[in-house]
Amino acid sequence: MFHVSLLKPYFGTLEVPSEPIEIAGEPEYEVEAILGHRSKSRGQYQFLIKWKGYPSHEATWEPEEHLENAAEILNTYKA
């Protein structure tokens, strides 16, 4: 519980989620940015993905193999 005086109005913009595109019969979402990475077992990495059209709080951790169609952004992040 919290006191109502702690609430503040939201003045930001609402992002409209983009529709997935279809590649090889599978829905795919566009990567806007890679926000970070973490190491998992056996030297595999996961990347924190900011999806285009979605707010930052909906970013998800994805393994590198899920980013094969975002090679340019991934290579830029790794550099």
Side-chain angles (χ1 to χ4, degrees):
M1 291 180 53
F2 56 91
H3 195 273
V4 71
S5 67
L6 297 174
L7 294 175
K8 296 178 183 175
Y10 177 73
F11 293 107
T13 59
L14 294 176
E15 296 180 61
V16 177
S18 59
E19 292 294 318
I21 56 174
E22 200 164 301
I23 297 177
E26 295 290 324
E28 297 225 0
Y29 294 86
E30 189 173 348
V31 173
E32 184 174 313
I34 298 176
L35 305 176
H37 68 279
R38 64 184 179 188
S39 178
K40 296 303 278 185
S41 63
R42 293 182 238 124
Q44 295 178 341
Y45 288 93
Q46 287 186 330
F47 296 90
L48 185 58
I49 305 300
K50 161 77 169 80
W51 301 104
K52 186 172 184 178
Y54 288 84
S56 294
H57 69 271
E58 291 196 23
T60 60
W61 289 101
E62 300 293 333
E64 189 168 352
E65 60 264 17
H66 288 183
L67 304 174
E68 62 186 32
N69 292 329
E72 187 176 324
I73 292 174
L74 184 58
N75 291 335
T76 301
Y77 175 81
K78 286 181 175 181

